[in-house]
Amino acid sequence: MLKKLTRALFGKPGKSRLPAATDTETASLPAALQALDLPDSVRILTRDEHGISRKQISPNALKVLYRLGDAGFHAFLVGGGVRDLLLKGSPKDFDISTDATPEEVRELFRNSRIIGRRFKIVHIRFGREIIEVTTFRAHHQADTTISDNSSRKTMRDMDSAHSDAGMILRDNVYGSIGEDALRRDFTINALYYTTRGFVVLDFADGQNDLDQRMIRIIGDPETRYREDPVRLLRAIRFAAKLDFRIEPSTEEPIDHLADLLGSVSPARLFDETLKLLAGGNAERTYALITRYRIMDYLFPATRAATPDPDSSAARLVQLALRNTDRRLQQSKSITPAFLYAALLWPPLLEALKERGIGPDERPRQPVLQEAANEVVTAQLQYTAIPRRFTAMMREIWDLQWRLMPTTPRRTRGAFEHPRFRAAYDFLVLREEAGEQTHGQGQWWTEFQRADEERQNQLLADLQSNREGGKKRRRRSRPKRNKGNPDGGSE
């Protein structure tokens, strides 16, 4: 308690909270920030220049900023939240960076917990909202390298470690705000907003790149991509989300470094894939990733099965992504299972074709299950799709053939299936993409819109068509032996 009170009154040991400005570079800073070790190149944007208002910031994020400040720490809104506010957008997340360690943040907030080993961060929960707090990181050389086959125990007590390829395995070396800014990935994410004086600190000319609508990596592109290959995906995601272009030197290594994604865990790649495709810009993002070899490390089977961008299979994927964007714009829910069902539908058709099943044929259940298992198992090597989603994908696929209206009983059973709506939406997209479905989607659309009497009539028509289409089986008569009226042998 005494420790907290001392910090609140006098700041952290060794730091003065209210130093006097001593030079022109820091003269425009609020007094409370002048103790920060800022580089001369930092650009200070005043409230009049940046236009950010506290009314645009989550009240919970402001609570965290103020409590950290009152406890004697420096705290800043950072990254995408600042970037989106400067672009006059509405951020979904508000992240905070501070000179408090994760343990010190945890001590201040009972509603928090420390997560992560590779990169310790603190999650502070306010109901459904989570404010993510990170400690200023410092640059560290790859003095400690860990081979790919080393055990996790080797890194347990390390603050920093790199792989043989230069990938950061541990990043818990803390530093100043200037060091932290240059450890960030792109210039437009190295912008820090503070409620102390309401200024924005721009460490890497990020405001200029925002004005130029440019994605530019901080530092040497190849080195930064090797440190964390997921930055390859983030460059594409931000370019698609913001409709920015990727700066040439930032873009140039993407293709020849795409194989670095092979060192990223399938679980992390699944999470990153969702960020790529479930952020409201799926169609534009997919168009970008198909330009690079990155597709070979996310959806290799899909790329192989859709060489012709004008084919119905490729068109289905495009329509599914467009549909996802439209649903998000309408604040409707989406499920990764539907997205993956569409992305892996072309490989499924190829797997069935290899088993002699054409697009107009109905596969036997064991054959369909075998093909689906093959496609899903292959994809799991790249993105670790949770089982609850793979199960739903299989149901959507299976229902594509069960939605062929045949008998009233089977049709009713398909209609009452829990996944009917998702399977129906998928069927309609297949028709729109140009697949031959013999009008199944149109039939089901009419059936759902009809009243009970009309539905019964449609089902009755199915039965009569089925019965009318059956050929009468002719009863075979035994051959008579001309010499024996009874037909028997002599």
Side-chain angles (χ1 to χ4, degrees):
M1 187 70 182
L2 181 60
K3 183 178 179 182
K4 291 182 181 179
L5 182 60
T6 303
R7 281 183 180 153
L9 293 174
F10 304 107
K12 293 182 72 176
K15 292 185 179 181
S16 171
R17 296 186 69 192
L18 297 171
T22 58
D23 55 67
T24 56
E25 281 78 10
T26 58
S28 59
L29 271 176
L33 298 181
Q34 290 177 13
L36 287 171
D37 183 18
L38 297 178
D40 293 342
S41 59
V42 68
R43 179 182 175 187
I44 302 168
L45 302 175
T46 65
R47 185 188 301 190
D48 291 339
E49 292 175 291
H50 61 68
I52 296 176
S53 167
R54 281 173 292 175
K55 294 179 181 179
Q56 301 168 286
I57 301 172
S58 160
N60 294 320
L62 291 173
K63 287 179 186 176
V64 175
L65 289 172
Y66 285 130
R67 187 177 297 182
L68 284 168
D70 291 342
F73 298 106
H74 294 293
F76 295 82
L77 193 67
V78 68
V82 181
R83 179 197 68 219
D84 292 346
L85 287 173
L86 290 172
L87 290 172
K88 310 304 179 186
S90 301
K92 294 181 180 179
D93 302 306
F94 293 91
D95 298 337
I96 290 172
S97 191
T98 178
D99 57 352
T101 66
E103 292 73 21
E104 289 171 328
V105 176
R106 177 71 184 88
E107 187 180 346
L108 282 174
F109 297 90
R110 292 183 179 180
N111 54 328
S112 67
R113 66 188 184 105
I114 299 174
I115 66 169
R117 294 179 181 177
R118 173 182 173 272
F119 188 91
K120 279 186 181 180
I121 58 178
V122 181
H123 278 180
I124 305 176
R125 182 178 291 277
F126 296 90
R128 293 186 177 182
E129 184 179 17
I130 294 177
I131 304 299
E132 187 172 285
V133 181
T134 59
T135 303
F136 296 153
R137 256 58 176 187
H139 179 72
H140 48 96
Q141 299 294 330
D143 296 330
T144 306
T145 58
I146 304 296
S147 62
D148 293 338
N149 56 4
S150 298
S151 66
R152 290 186 178 181
K153 293 181 180 179
T154 309
M155 296 186 292
R156 184 169 293 173
D157 299 322
M158 295 180 180
D159 289 328
S160 66
H162 293 68
S163 71
D164 292 334
M167 181 177 176
I168 294 179
L169 304 176
R170 277 287 190 275
D171 189 10
N172 293 308
V173 178
Y174 305 132
S176 67
I177 186 174
E179 292 172 314
D180 186 71
L182 299 182
R183 290 287 300 130
R184 294 188 173 271
D185 48 11
F186 303 104
T187 60
I188 58 174
N189 291 335
L191 296 153
Y192 294 66
Y193 169 84
T194 176
T195 52
R196 290 176 170 178
F198 313 109
V199 298
V200 170
L201 304 182
D202 181 359
F203 290 88
D205 207 19
Q207 180 61 61
N208 183 59
D209 283 339
L210 285 178
D211 295 337
Q212 299 297 320
R213 305 184 68 81
M214 181 94 70
I215 304 296
R216 185 194 308 272
I217 204 164
I218 298 174
D220 175 64
E222 186 156 335
T223 301
R224 302 309 305 280
Y225 287 140
R226 289 188 181 279
E227 287 178 349
D228 186 359
V230 167
R231 287 173 179 152
L232 296 163
L233 304 181
R234 286 169 62 84
I236 291 172
R237 176 158 63 90
F238 290 138
K241 174 184 177 180
L242 304 173
D243 196 18
F244 280 19
R245 61 190 178 93
I246 304 177
E247 184 266 335
S249 65
T250 301
E251 181 182 30
E252 190 274 330
I254 290 178
D255 245 8
H256 75 264
L257 293 181
D259 60 331
L260 293 175
L261 292 172
S263 64
V264 181
S265 72
R268 190 179 180 202
L269 280 185
F270 175 76
D271 292 338
E272 292 298 328
T273 301
L274 288 191
K275 292 178 183 177
L276 285 168
L277 302 180
N281 305 280
E283 187 178 6
R284 187 187 300 165
T285 303
Y286 188 78
L288 277 177
I289 64 174
T290 53
R291 288 170 46 185
Y292 305 102
R293 286 180 54 234
I294 282 176
M295 269 293 285
D296 296 337
Y297 296 90
L298 295 182
F299 301 103
T302 304
R303 165 167 273 183
T306 56
D308 179 6
D310 296 323
S311 65
S312 60
R315 178 73 175 154
L316 170 68
V317 172
Q318 181 186 27
L319 290 174
L321 298 170
R322 184 178 300 170
N323 181 65
T324 298
D325 291 341
R326 183 166 53 245
R327 289 184 65 85
L328 289 170
Q329 290 167 5
Q330 297 170 351
S331 299
K332 293 182 178 179
S333 63
I334 63 169
T335 171
F338 190 92
L339 268 175
Y340 269 83
L343 286 161
L344 298 180
W345 178 255
L348 178 66
L349 293 182
E350 288 296 314
L352 289 172
K353 183 179 178 181
E354 291 173 0
R355 289 161 174 78
I357 308 297
D360 294 336
E361 298 179 75
R362 183 169 190 162
R364 291 183 295 109
Q365 194 64 21
V367 176
L368 176 59
Q369 289 178 349
E370 181 185 19
N373 286 339
E374 178 183 300
V375 171
V376 171
T377 301
Q379 182 61 36
L380 290 177
Q381 298 177 32
Y382 299 90
T383 55
I385 314 168
R387 186 172 298 178
R388 66 184 184 276
F389 296 139
T390 59
M392 185 175 176
M393 286 164 50
R394 294 171 191 271
E395 289 178 307
I396 291 173
W397 289 342
D398 179 56
L399 280 165
Q400 297 310 296
W401 286 276
R402 291 178 61 185
L403 288 179
M404 294 180 178
T406 52
T407 67
R409 181 180 177 183
R410 289 182 179 177
T411 303
R412 281 288 185 189
F415 185 55
E416 294 168 1
H417 194 283
R419 303 298 182 204
F420 167 79
R421 184 66 202 191
Y424 163 75
D425 289 342
F426 195 87
L427 174 61
V428 171
L429 286 181
R430 287 173 56 210
E431 285 192 350
E432 189 178 347
E435 277 194 47
Q436 180 55 258
T437 62
H438 305 289
Q440 295 172 53
Q442 185 177 355
W443 189 93
W444 278 107
T445 299
E446 183 181 356
F447 183 82
Q448 292 178 84
R449 292 174 178 173
D451 56 22
E452 185 177 357
E453 182 180 354
R454 177 57 181 157
Q455 285 185 349
N456 290 333
Q457 181 60 52
L458 288 169
L459 293 174
D461 291 343
L462 282 180
Q463 186 66 28
S464 61
N465 290 338
R466 179 179 174 82
E467 292 174 352
K470 289 182 178 179
K471 294 183 179 179
R472 286 193 172 186
R473 297 180 60 187
R474 297 179 62 182
R475 295 177 62 183
S476 60
R477 296 181 180 179
K479 292 183 179 180
R480 288 179 171 243
N481 190 318
K482 293 182 179 179
N484 185 351
D486 295 328
S489 60
E490 291 183 344

